[in-house]
Amino acid sequence: MRSGVRVRPTGVERSFGVDEIIVTKTDPQGRITYANDVFLRVSALAEEDALGQPHNLIRHPDMPAAVFKLLWDTIKSGQEIFAYVLNLAADGAHYWVFAHVTPSLDDAGRCVGYHSNRRLPDRTAVGELSALYERLRAEERRHPHTPDALAASTALLESELASRGLTYPELVWDVTNRTTA
């Protein structure tokens, strides 16, 4: 999967071990500077094909843009975020992760990149979040222009969260705690 080459999802789901952790680091622009062996195996990437590439190299087209906007807005503000993410491997397989993304700071407190650890998510949690994500993607598909699609899905996400009385992080932990209890 070289930058600019579009991979088509095959519908094949890939998994990884419950004790394994996918780790990547990026520079402040989101280009991959480190990828562990688990990431490379699950993403079906060679290290030379991953390093230097934008992290959205593994973005699955079924992931709502609103969730990525929330993720980037959060980590760019210096905060950590936990999120359920559907990724696309270089061979078209997909895999779900429970991601924890944090900014990496230098001694002066400046952001020098981002660190992401991803664990195998609970299947029930994936079912709950994938239903919400599908509603967000359906809203995005209703708008032919990307900015309009992002605004509409962001508004729908905010509406869904407001109706539950939760922020996105609270939703993630609510789903996680209910499904793993």
Side-chain angles (χ1 to χ4, degrees), residues 61-119:
D62 288 344
M63 271 300 293
V67 174
F68 279 114
K69 180 181 184 320
L70 174 70
L71 188 150
W72 276 103
D73 287 350
T74 301
I75 61 176
K76 283 183 176 180
S77 74
Q79 300 174 21
E80 67 180 356
I81 189 167
F82 289 87
Y84 287 88
V85 178
L86 176 65
N87 289 321
L88 181 64
D91 60 3
H94 65 272
Y95 59 97
W96 281 94
V97 297
F98 183 52
H100 177 212
V101 187
T102 60
S104 300
L105 307 177
D106 67 12
D107 292 341
R110 292 179 299 245
C111 180
V112 295
Y114 302 100
H115 184 125
S116 178
N117 292 329
R118 284 149 279 169
R119 297 180 189 320

Side-chain angles (χ1 to χ4, degrees), residues 122-136:
D122 179 87
R123 295 304 309 169
T124 304
V126 167
E128 283 194 40
L129 271 296
S130 65
L132 171 61
Y133 289 2
E134 178 50 38
R135 289 194 300 278
L136 297 174

